[in-house]
Each structure stands twice: as structure tokens, then as C-alpha cells.
Amino acid sequence: QVQLVESGGGLVQPGESLTLSCAASGSISRVNAMGWSRQAPGEQRESVATITRGGSTNYVDSVKGRFTISRDNAKNTVYLQMSSLVPEDTAVYYCNADGWTTGWRKFDSRGQGTQVTVSS
């Protein structure tokens, strides 16, 4: 079993910054890609940012230049630094990761989500 636990969500004003963290734990042999997705009320979940084990990143157009994804492979942790936040960034943010367990079975897991609200 692989668990992902997000932290760092909250209520911020437009223009402010927030950093999310997500730690993967359990029977992990290797974590490959990690990423963040979000789901706003009444909307479908969308991928926000992804990062490979080697550090290659990809972002949805709406957050380019404002969000930065990074990871610490030794800690199996991924971060999402969010700046210049706007109300449209309000959503539940989910962490996701895939890789291999100690029994060399593939896993593809998602966390429970953390709420980010941008409002004045």
C-alpha cells in the first residue's frame, strides 16, 4: 500500500503565495512521476503540474510562470509553490504519484486532497 498525504492548503488573498507539500509513504521501492491536479466546484479535475524523477516538469497553461513544482527523491516528497494566486485557482488540490512497490508491483496513487481558497 502506498499513501500520499498533502499539506499546506488554506485561505489566501489574491496575489498571495502558498506552498503545498505531499509525502508518499508505504511499501515503496521507487517513485517515478509525481504531480498535482485540482478540481474546482462543478468542474472536472485537471492536471496542474507534473515532474519526472529526473526533474522534467510540465504545467497547464493557466499556471505557467506562477506555479513551480519540485521534488525531493530522498524523501519521496513533491512540492507545489504557488504565487500570484487568483480566485480561479480555488480548488481542491490532489497529489498523485506512480512507481513501484517493494514487491515490484506498479502503483498509481492519489492523495485525499487539500483545499486552496483564494478570496478577498
Side-chain angles (χ1 to χ4, degrees):
Q1 283 279 26
V2 176
Q3 298 83 35
L4 300 177
V5 178
E6 303 101 336
S7 62
L11 171 65
V12 296
Q13 294 189 345
E16 293 187 337
S17 299
L18 202 61
T19 297
L20 306 180
S21 301
C22 172
S25 63
S27 303
I28 297 172
S29 176
R30 178 185 176 96
V31 178
N32 293 329
M34 304 186 82
W36 293 90
S37 58
R38 67 186 179 186
Q39 187 167 21
E43 302 287 336
Q44 289 194 339
R45 189 166 58 244
E46 68 169 348
S47 175
V48 174
T50 60
I51 184 167
T52 67
R53 185 174 180 83
S56 295
T57 59
N58 195 34
Y59 300 90
V60 68
D61 285 346
S62 61
V63 308
K64 285 180 180 177
R66 301 189 298 121
F67 290 12
T68 301
I69 188 170
S70 60
R71 64 188 286 172
D72 183 333
N73 289 335
K75 297 180 180 179
N76 290 330
T77 299
V78 64
Y79 307 94
L80 186 67
Q81 295 174 278
M82 306 182 291
S83 62
S84 301
L85 285 161
V86 297
E88 291 73 24
D89 294 319
T90 295
V92 177
Y93 284 71
Y94 299 91
C95 165
N96 49 272
D98 64 68
W100 299 92
T101 68
T102 52
W104 290 107
R105 293 186 177 184
K106 285 205 69 177
F107 72 86
D108 190 347
S109 300
R110 187 170 69 238
Q112 295 288 328
T114 185
Q115 177 70 46
V116 172
T117 302
V118 184
S119 175
S120 55

